[in-house]
Each structure stands twice: as C-alpha cells, then as structure tokens.
Amino acid sequence: MRLTDLRDNPGARKERKRVGRGIGSGIGKTGGRGVKGQKSRSGVAINGFEGGQMPLHMRLPKRGFNNPSAKTFVEISLATLQAAADAGHSSITEDGLVEAGLVRNKKDGLRLLGSGEVSSKLDVTVTYATASAREAIEKAGGSVTMTRPEKTKRLRGKEREEAKKAKKK
C-alpha cells in the first residue's frame, strides 16, 4: 500500500453541482429551474400567492385565541413524588424537585395530579394540587401547601353595590 493508493470511500465526497455550464452538462441553459417567468429568477418568495385571487389562508375564518398572558404549569404525578420520597426527601418543594432532576424546569409552577399512589408521609409545597392528589397525600399522613394566588370572585349586581358600600365605610 502506498500513499497514492489512499482514497475516500465512494460517495464520501459529493461534487458541487455547477449549474448553467452548457447543454452537455444536463443542467445548462435554464439551470434546472424549468423555463421562463418569475420562478426562474432568484430572490422569489411567492408561497401562498394565488395569482391575485384571495389566498386560501385569508379566505378561511380565524379560529381560537392564543392568550399571551396564559401561564404554563408543569404537571407531576403522585408517582413522581413517591420517587422523590424513595430517594430520601420527606419535604418536597418545587425547587427541590428541579434540583433532584425529577422535573426539568418549573416554568410558572407545578400542578400536582392525582395519578399514581403515595405510601410515604410527605409535606408537599406546589402551586396547584387537584383534590384527589391532596386527598391521597393526606390519607398517607402528609400535608399539601398550595402557593397559588387565590381567585377573586367577580361581583355582579347587588353584590357589587354592597361591596362598594362596605368599601366607603
């Protein structure tokens, strides 16, 4: 074997396509773009353009609403809490779950769901917890503390008038 015998594997290096280099190349003249017109030129972006007709994406009705101030919560199950308890944690917080690697990040908070089972006594502090999750933890002898802001009731009619009167006093 000599240095002159060293070669790349077949197909390891792909040659650049040289467009518009004569009729014999197979990609001469129009350079693989077809024939004339706007699409044969460079710098053309006409996705969704329908020749002056109202495009389909503008003809269809708008649906739904994306709330820009919506909060996203990471949902965790009771089984995840049991895994943390098995690792030796008895009081569980959102930051503790992130540090333990059971939750990647807490986003706007953690929501505890009632799927799974808990057999250990746990003191849990999360943003939200479902009623079934709270019930299961309290049944095992633990406690759940929720850090969520309390929802304020929207007052209507007579209730609103009474609240205004009470505020003035």
Side-chain angles (χ1 to χ4, degrees):
M1 178 164 209
R2 297 190 176 112
L3 280 174
T4 56
D5 296 337
L6 292 176
R7 301 249 183 287
D8 267 332
N9 292 331
R13 289 170 180 257
K14 188 175 179 182
E15 284 194 22
R16 185 171 66 92
K17 186 188 281 190
R18 297 186 70 221
V19 175
R21 292 294 182 272
I23 200 166
S25 69
I27 42 172
K29 192 183 167 195
T30 54
R33 286 178 178 265
V35 202
K36 303 175 231 175
Q38 188 179 14
K39 283 189 168 180
S40 68
R41 314 287 192 253
S42 67
V44 175
I46 52 174
N47 286 347
F49 182 70
E50 297 186 20
Q53 174 177 295
M54 184 63 68
L56 180 67
H57 66 87
M58 292 174 76
R59 278 179 280 164
L60 296 174
K62 288 191 261 187
R63 294 274 298 159
F65 171 71
N66 288 328
N67 186 356
S69 61
K71 297 195 181 308
T72 53
F73 296 98
V74 176
E75 295 177 341
I76 56 170
S77 63
L78 292 174
T80 307
L81 292 187
Q82 187 59 48
D86 294 341
H89 302 287
S90 60
S91 63
I92 296 170
T93 61
E94 294 175 350
D95 294 326
L97 287 170
V98 173
E99 287 173 18
L102 294 169
V103 175
R104 186 175 292 162
N105 60 356
K106 63 180 185 176
K107 294 185 182 174
D108 291 321
L110 295 182
R111 177 176 280 144
L112 181 60
L113 304 179
S115 58
E117 293 181 12
V118 174
S119 57
S120 309
K121 180 182 175 183
L122 299 171
D123 296 322
V124 183
T125 306
V126 288
T127 311
Y128 287 97
T130 62
S132 59
R134 271 184 277 147
E135 188 179 301
I137 290 173
E138 288 166 1
K139 193 175 186 182
S143 64
V144 178
T145 308
M146 288 189 285
T147 60
R148 68 185 166 103
E150 288 296 320
K151 289 186 177 178
T152 55
K153 184 181 175 189
R154 191 165 178 197
L155 303 176
R156 295 172 190 227
K158 289 181 181 178
E159 292 176 337
R160 181 185 284 167
E161 291 170 11
E162 290 170 7
K164 282 183 182 178
K165 287 177 185 175
K167 202 174 193 181
K168 286 180 182 178
K169 290 180 183 178

